[in-house]
Amino acid sequence: MLLKLDNIKTYYGNIRALKGISIEVDENEIVCLIGGNGAGKSTTLMTISGVLTPVEGDVLFQGQSIVGVRADSIVQMGICQVPEGRMIFPLLTVMENLDLGAYLRNDKEGIKEALDKVFELFPAMSERRKQYGGTLSGGEQQMLAIARALMGRPKLLLLDEPSLGLAPIFVDSIFETIYQINEEGTTILLVEQNAQLALQYSNRGYVLETGEIALAGTSEDLLTNEQVRKAYLGE
């Protein structure tokens, strides 16, 4: 098992955002988290990546507790997050954004290999390497955000709403690339507003409701679950 969350409780001040959730992610899986706004999906990812510290419970990565570990150290361990809203550096070039994705690495050959790989995955980034991030389209900025995270050589990639605000043509392209990244050996934990897409591209899923796990199962089972279909698939 690559990642395990055990009875995680995370607060924002006095607000209980996560009320004791337990999640498991095995190596080479794509696992999705779906749920409505405020369900705790992004909070879960930020708790894993060390941006937030749980008040109770444990986060285990490759069998080691990472609760209380600094966020940059968690990146070095192999967990990289693509945040909601992309959060690229708009006044830096594409190349400068990518360089920052590798800022904790000092293996020049490995960095070059990673750069070649992201340019292979996202040819538009190679073409726009001298262009400022803020001048890219929304879809291109999402590509850049994912590429930047891949420069950190993640074992586990956390993706927060990769389709948010994108035109349909970019959404399909992004998800095909996510699938390809997973096929090449990177485990993915995906938060996604488009439940249909998330379940189509993942192996397993969890449904979060107000900070608790309401349902869990294979993606195939969740796609046919009547409760999921009514609440999240618009049926």
Side-chain angles (χ1 to χ4, degrees), residues 39-232:
K41 305 184 301 296
S42 294
T43 302
T44 301
L45 295 193
M46 289 191 289
T47 301
I48 295 166
S49 62
V51 177
L52 297 173
T53 301
V55 297
E56 192 173 317
D58 206 356
V59 179
L60 299 170
F61 181 63
Q62 294 183 311
Q64 178 179 345
S65 176
I66 57 172
V67 171
V69 176
R70 285 170 38 138
D72 59 326
S73 297
I74 289 175
V75 171
Q76 285 185 303
M77 294 172 71
I79 300 177
C80 296
Q81 181 169 346
V82 180
E84 181 180 355
R86 300 179 278 279
M87 302 298 286
I88 63 159
F89 298 98
L91 300 181
L92 299 182
T93 66
V94 166
M95 195 64 221
E96 288 167 336
N97 271 272
L98 294 176
D99 285 341
L100 285 171
Y103 80 104
L104 291 174
R105 299 178 61 179
N106 54 21
D107 55 323
K108 290 185 179 180
E109 282 302 313
I111 292 170
K112 183 181 182 303
E113 288 176 11
L115 187 61
D116 289 342
K117 187 61 188 175
V118 299
F119 284 159
E120 181 183 330
L121 282 169
F122 302 109
M125 296 299 97
S126 179
E127 297 165 7
R128 291 162 174 74
R129 64 179 73 192
K130 295 182 180 179
Q131 191 170 327
Y132 289 109
T135 66
L136 301 176
S137 70
E140 290 167 343
Q141 289 187 17
Q142 186 64 66
M143 292 177 190
L144 177 56
I146 296 173
R148 181 181 60 187
L150 292 176
M151 291 297 294
R153 193 171 49 185
K155 298 170 185 171
L156 173 64
L157 183 63
L158 308 177
L159 293 171
D160 197 349
E161 303 284 13
S163 79
L164 186 65
L166 300 188
I169 188 171
F170 275 117
V171 172
D172 292 339
S173 175
I174 289 292
F175 269 84
E176 285 297 327
T177 304
I178 290 169
Y179 183 78
Q180 184 178 346
I181 291 167
N182 174 251
E183 283 287 288
E184 293 175 359
T186 302
T187 306
I188 294 173
L189 180 57
L190 167 70
V191 163
E192 176 52 51
Q193 59 172 349
N194 188 327
Q196 181 83 37
L197 263 180
L199 291 169
Q200 282 178 355
Y201 279 89
S202 59
N203 304 104
R204 294 187 298 109
Y206 294 88
V207 180
L208 270 65
E209 292 182 359
T210 59
E212 298 178 288
I213 302 291
L215 288 168
T218 67
S219 297
E220 185 177 356
D221 287 344
L222 291 175
L223 273 169
T224 58
N225 181 281
E226 184 177 354
Q227 182 181 340
V228 172
R229 296 183 75 85
K230 286 182 178 179
Y232 304 108

